[in-house]
């Protein structure tokens, strides 16, 4: 769909981004030592850190990706919310306090605390970089998706805009400014999603999104020609000849039968009324020929109840195939195990002063994140029935939902989504920069650096990572960001969790065991993803049936594999001696 | 400052950040309370996933007439995570 840019939207957006950058520069003066740059001097208040956890964690995947997935596929998007939150239980009850006590700047510090092994530092630094880069891709794709409708700029420009802004935030003040950007973003995101949810409940359910007459059920064809031109129903796409927005209610429940709108509803009454309604969704079929790629969107009337149960996105659940079920189980295991293995989350434990603060900040994080995930259900379902969805872009569901209320809200929500990307990307680049400067250059290569040099190397690494992130963001345009982030969780959980858990629970763990588990877990999960049906279809453009892997999500196999490798290698190598 | 074990086997606050840990130090393992709450949550999460995988039809039921079981269970799991973490924080601060 083509979008009109409004000067108001651009103004609000620019003010938001400028505000965040100003704050970052202002705080920049505080972060010039290594302890300041990498760990914000370990002086962040636990409450601020807790909200910053939410700002760090609620990425484009959580906001744009989950809302889009619920709006397009129903309940299955909410399963991501459930899995993303569940991971925090592992973080709080198992990982938080020990990791705080063991480490100093990076995740490698914690895993290596007992061994002082270059092998561990090297393996963990590489796994940190791989996970951070896989996590960066969806964030940058989300940024590109947002900028097109809001500012009328091409996808690539959005990606570059985020890349430059984030690199500036990180380079100016490291963890101090990153923490405050994440705190502001986390607060704004939860607050405005709360406002949107209140508006959704106030509006209730409305037949045909308040438009007169019956819902238009004619199919629409969107063609992207080989030369890049876009056709709608065979004619060039213009503002007057564009795809119709989709997703609406066609019939309300019996108890509202003589009305066009339910009026305001309570949170549970809203869900119950939707369950009894009939909605219009759309089927999507794709055909490729000499002219280009033709996607036909065919409106389909169906009971909303069909979309309020599992199986809309995870087709294997509905069809009951073994591979489909294993794929789903694997993803949910990776989400559960992945959170506590994400390097950019783990480094946030070094910004507070002690284990009690680490614990308290995690609880604040869980409360804020849990509340937000409840809101995603309403945002997704509200978007599904708002009559304003762009069928070609799942990532735009939440901003377009805001647009169905007002242009100002659209601008505010888009700006928040953009700062969402800024917050998460700055955390990821911080984690990657620490892995390069502190783990690789200083500890693995053994190059002694002064405090000042350590910060400078970190900043150079941050710029390099920013450039890689921009390139990948342009390359992966058009993917659902929630789907993409699933990969990062799989790799993080497979590479890092076995080592982390066994280090805490099994005294016989050796440095060789940890190095082997991290290396094998990372390579196995990465290799599995690259050879999976999803990647064949969506990245290489090859039929998924040719892929050698039985299902696409590796976690179910590669997480246990990491544990097995760790135990076997540890038993084959000399036990660590008591100091 | 050496890490000291608390009554519940957890970590006392204000520990050293230097890499001077005994590889067998029980103080660096998570607290018993934390592991108990973790086990409780794993049972809830695992039970829900088994239901989704094995009997997804049950999740379409509407036990109280309004919202279906899939949504009740999903919201319940989010609520349980928040509630268990609050219990943990309160218990550990005492």
């Amino acid at each position: 769909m083509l979008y009109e840019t409004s000067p108001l939207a651009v103004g609000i957006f620019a003010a938001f981004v400028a505000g965040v950058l100003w704050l970052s520069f202002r705080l920049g003066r505080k972060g010039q030592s290594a302890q300041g740059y990498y760990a914000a001097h370990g002086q962040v208040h636990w409450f601020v850190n807790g909200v910053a956890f939410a700002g760090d964690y609620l990425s484009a995947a959580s906001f744009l990706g989950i809302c889009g997935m619920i709006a397009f596929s129903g309940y299955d998007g909410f399963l991501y919310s459930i899995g993303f939150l569940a991971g925090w239980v592992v973080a709080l009850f198992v990982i938080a306090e020990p990791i705080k006590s063991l480490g100093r700047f990076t995740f490698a510090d914690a895993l290596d605390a007992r061994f002082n092994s270059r092998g561990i530092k090297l393996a963990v630094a590489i796994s940190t970089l791989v996970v951070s880069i896989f996590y960066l891709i969806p964030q940058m794709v989300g940024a590109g998706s947002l900028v097109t409708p809001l500012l009328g700029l091409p996808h690539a420009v959005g990606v570059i805009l985020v890349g430059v802004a984030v690199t500036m935030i990180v380079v100016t003040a490291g963890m101090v400014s990153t923490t405050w950007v994440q705190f502001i973003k986390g607060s704004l995101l939860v607050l405005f999603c709360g406002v949107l949810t209140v508006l959704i409940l106030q509006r209730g359910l409305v037949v045909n999104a308040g438009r007169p007459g019956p819902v238009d059920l004619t199919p629409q064809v969107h063609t992207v020609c080989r030369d890049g031109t876009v056709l709608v129903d065979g004619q060039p796409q213009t503002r007057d000849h564009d795809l119709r927005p989709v997703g609406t209610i066609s019939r309300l429940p019996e108890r509202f039968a003589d009305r066009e709108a339910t009026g305001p509803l309570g949170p549970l009454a809203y869900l119950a009324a939707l369950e009894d309604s009939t909605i219009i969704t759309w089927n999507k079929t794709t055909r490729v020929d000499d002219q280009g790629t033709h996607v036909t969107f065919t409106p389909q009337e169906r009971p909303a109840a069909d979309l309020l149960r599992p199986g809309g996105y995870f087709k294997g659940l509905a069809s009951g195939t073994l591979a489909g079920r294993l794929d789903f189980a694997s993803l949910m295991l990776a989400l559960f195990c992945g959170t506590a293995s994400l390097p950019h989350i783990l480094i946030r434990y070094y910004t507070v002063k002690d284990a009690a603060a680490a614990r308290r900040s995690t609880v604040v994080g869980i409360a804020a994140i849990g509340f937000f995930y409840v809101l995603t259900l309403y945002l997704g379902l509200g978007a599904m029935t708002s009559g304003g969805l762009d069928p070609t872009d799942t990532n735009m569901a939440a901003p377009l939902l805001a647009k169905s209320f007002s242009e100002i809200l659209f601008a505010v929500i888009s700006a928040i989504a953009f700062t969402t990307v800024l917050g998460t990307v700055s955390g990821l680049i911080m984690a990657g920069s620490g892995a390069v400067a502190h783990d690789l250059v200083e500890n693995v290569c053994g190059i002694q650096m002064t405090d000042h040099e350590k910060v400078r190397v970190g900043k150079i690494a941050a710029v390099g990572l920013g450039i890689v992130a921009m390139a990948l963001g342009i390359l992966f345009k058009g993917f659902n960001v929630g789907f993409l982030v699933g990969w990062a969780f799989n790799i993080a959980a497979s590479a890092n969790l076995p080592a982390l858990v066994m280090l805490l629970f099994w005294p016989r763990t050796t440095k060789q065991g940890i190095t082997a588990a991290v290396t094998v877990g990372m390579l196995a999960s990465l290799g599995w993803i690259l050879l999976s049906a999803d990647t064949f279809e969506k990245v290489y453009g090859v039929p998924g049936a040719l892929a050698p892997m039985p299902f696409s999500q590796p976690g179910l196999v590669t997480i246990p594999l990491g544990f097995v490798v760790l135990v076997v290698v540890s038993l084959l190598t000399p036990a660590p001696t008591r100091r | 400052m050496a890490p000291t074990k608390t009554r519940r086997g957890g970590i006392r606050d204000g520990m050293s950040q230097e890499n001077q840990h005994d590889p067998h130090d029980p103080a660096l393992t998570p607290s018993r309370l934390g592991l108990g709450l973790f086990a409780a949550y794993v049972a809830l999460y695992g039970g829900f996933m088994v239901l989704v995988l094995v009997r997804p039809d049950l999740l379409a039921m509407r036990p109280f007439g309004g919202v279906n079981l899939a949504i009740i269970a999903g919201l319940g799991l989010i609520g349980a995570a928040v509630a268990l973490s609050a219990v943990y924080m309160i218990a550990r601060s005492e």
Side-chain angles (χ1 to χ4, degrees):
Chain A
M1 270 166 60
L2 297 174
Y3 300 91
E4 250 172 273
T5 49
S6 89
L8 178 71
V10 176
I12 292 177
F13 179 83
F16 254 83
V17 177
V20 169
L21 285 177
W22 171 79
L23 187 83
S24 177
F25 284 120
R26 224 180 102 80
L27 294 166
R29 282 171 264 144
K30 293 184 181 173
Q32 296 311 322
S33 68
Q35 171 69 6
Y37 182 77
Y38 293 110
H41 309 281
Q43 291 300 323
V44 176
H45 188 271
W46 56 267
F47 183 80
V48 174
N49 203 54
V51 178
F53 263 133
D56 211 352
Y57 193 67
L58 297 176
S59 66
S62 290
F63 182 42
L64 303 177
I66 291 179
C67 290
M69 210 176 268
I70 295 176
F72 278 57
S73 312
Y75 185 82
D76 286 6
F78 191 50
L79 287 168
Y80 269 93
S81 293
I82 296 166
F84 280 142
L85 185 71
W88 278 95
V89 172
V90 184
L92 174 65
F93 294 144
V94 185
I95 306 291
E97 295 163 63
I99 196 122
K100 170 63 194 165
S101 306
L102 282 169
R104 190 158 165 249
F105 287 163
T106 64
F107 170 50
D109 285 345
L111 276 190
D112 193 38
R114 292 174 184 172
F115 305 107
N116 198 21
S117 146
R118 278 168 71 183
I120 292 183
K121 290 186 188 104
L122 179 64
V124 176
I126 293 173
S127 98
T128 296
L129 282 175
V130 169
V131 172
S132 297
I133 287 172
F134 267 82
Y135 213 104
L136 276 169
I137 300 171
Q139 314 307 324
M140 301 307 267
V141 171
S145 287
L146 277 170
V147 165
T148 309
L150 189 69
L151 307 181
L153 298 170
H155 176 89
V157 177
V159 171
I160 292 168
L161 215 65
V162 170
V164 172
V166 165
T167 310
M168 275 160 72
I169 291 173
V170 173
V171 168
T172 46
M175 204 56 174
V176 178
S177 57
T178 300
T179 300
W180 283 103
V181 167
Q182 289 170 346
F183 173 79
I184 294 169
K185 165 228 159 158
S187 321
L188 287 175
L189 185 62
V190 174
L191 181 73
F192 275 90
C193 287
V195 170
L196 255 179
T197 302
V198 169
L199 290 173
I200 290 167
L201 297 176
Q202 278 295 314
R203 176 159 74 186
L205 301 170
V206 184
V207 173
N208 197 12
R211 297 183 188 107
V215 184
D216 189 346
L217 294 176
T218 25
Q220 316 186 76
V221 185
H222 183 261
T223 305
V224 179
C225 301
R226 296 208 180 272
D227 64 1
T229 49
V230 178
L231 307 177
V232 172
D233 295 332
Q235 302 292 318
Q237 182 184 36
T238 62
R239 286 208 198 287
D240 297 327
H241 181 73
D242 201 355
L243 290 172
R244 293 188 309 275
V246 298
T248 188
I249 300 270
S250 64
R251 206 164 51 240
L252 291 173
E254 283 298 319
R255 53 188 181 279
F256 302 103
D258 53 341
R259 287 156 58 176
E260 291 294 300
T262 59
L265 293 167
L268 293 178
Y270 182 88
L271 297 170
L274 184 61
E275 178 115 15
D276 290 325
S277 299
T278 308
I279 58 171
I280 311 278
T281 58
W282 58 98
N283 281 338
K284 181 179 154 184
T285 48
T286 306
R287 181 171 59 84
V288 181
D289 63 15
D290 292 342
Q291 191 188 12
T293 307
H294 310 269
V295 182
T296 306
F297 301 102
T298 312
Q300 185 194 20
E301 194 166 20
R302 61 200 297 196
D306 286 357
L307 283 164
L308 293 176
R309 65 179 77 153
Y313 181 78
F314 300 108
K315 300 293 180 200
L317 291 178
S319 64
T321 59
L322 182 63
R325 288 187 204 175
L326 289 176
D327 198 42
F328 171 76
S330 195
L331 174 70
M332 295 316 281
L333 180 68
L335 296 187
F336 187 62
C337 297
T339 302
S341 326
L342 290 171
H344 70 289
I345 296 297
L346 293 172
I347 58 168
R348 188 143 285 297
Y349 284 115
Y350 303 127
T351 62
V352 290
K353 76 176 185 333
D354 55 28
R359 182 173 66 235
R360 288 195 196 111
S361 61
T362 315
V363 175
V364 171
I366 288 178
I369 294 165
F371 179 62
F372 173 81
Y373 282 141
V374 171
L375 300 181
T376 57
L377 182 65
Y378 291 95
L379 299 181
L381 296 176
M384 181 195 269
T385 54
S386 67
L389 288 179
D390 175 353
T392 62
D393 192 350
T394 60
N395 299 328
M396 278 305 289
L400 288 174
L401 165 71
K403 196 174 190 170
S404 73
F405 290 104
S406 85
E407 280 293 333
I408 298 177
L409 203 54
F410 172 65
V412 171
I413 289 292
S414 300
I416 289 173
F418 199 78
T419 47
T420 289
V421 177
L422 290 185
T424 304
V425 172
S426 53
L428 287 163
I429 291 188
M430 265 319 295
S433 134
V436 171
H438 180 67
D439 299 336
L440 284 180
V441 177
E442 189 181 17
N443 292 331
V444 177
C445 301
I447 298 171
Q448 288 305 312
M449 293 185 283
T450 63
D451 210 51
H452 181 68
E453 284 168 340
K454 219 161 147 176
V455 172
R456 200 173 59 200
V457 173
K459 288 180 178 180
I460 294 169
V463 173
L465 277 164
I467 294 169
V468 172
M470 288 183 241
L472 291 171
I474 294 169
L475 209 65
F476 280 81
K477 180 190 173 188
F479 282 71
N480 177 286
V481 296
F483 165 78
L484 285 174
V485 96
W487 286 351
F489 274 77
N490 270 289
I491 300 173
S494 308
N496 300 341
L497 193 79
L500 205 47
V501 168
M502 294 309 271
L503 181 78
L504 298 177
F505 287 95
W506 195 43
R508 183 68 179 75
T509 303
T510 66
K511 59 184 177 187
Q512 293 88 344
I514 290 186
T515 310
V518 171
T519 311
V520 171
M522 174 179 60
L523 291 177
S525 53
L526 190 59
W528 187 299
I529 286 169
L530 295 176
L531 294 174
S532 71
D534 269 349
T535 312
F536 269 48
E537 278 169 17
K538 293 174 182 165
V539 183
Y540 313 144
V542 175
L546 297 175
M549 293 311 177
F551 48 90
S552 291
Q553 304 281 347
L556 197 61
V557 175
T558 53
I559 298 171
L561 178 70
F563 281 101
V564 170
V565 167
L566 188 142
V567 170
V568 170
V569 174
S570 290
L571 289 176
L572 291 174
T573 46
T577 49
R578 274 174 186 276
R579 223 178 263 171
Chain B
M1 188 166 65
T4 39
K5 195 181 165 191
T6 62
R7 193 163 43 88
R8 293 187 186 90
I11 303 151
R12 176 152 305 164
D13 307 328
M15 284 176 32
S16 159
Q17 290 185 352
E18 297 304 316
N19 296 344
Q20 297 296 328
H21 301 286
D22 182 334
H24 307 281
D25 188 349
L28 284 174
T29 56
S31 74
R32 192 164 296 202
L33 171 72
L35 292 178
L37 294 171
F38 177 69
Y41 191 80
V42 169
L44 293 174
Y45 186 77
F48 175 66
M49 288 310 149
V50 168
L51 207 57
V52 173
L53 286 165
V54 181
R55 290 296 304 275
D57 53 310
L58 289 182
L59 293 169
M61 287 187 339
R62 299 168 75 174
F64 309 109
V67 182
N68 72 20
L69 194 58
I71 290 176
I72 294 173
L75 294 175
L77 273 170
I78 292 177
V82 175
L84 292 180
S85 67
V87 166
Y88 183 65
M89 185 170 84
I90 293 164
R92 291 296 302 266
S93 341
E94 278 168 7

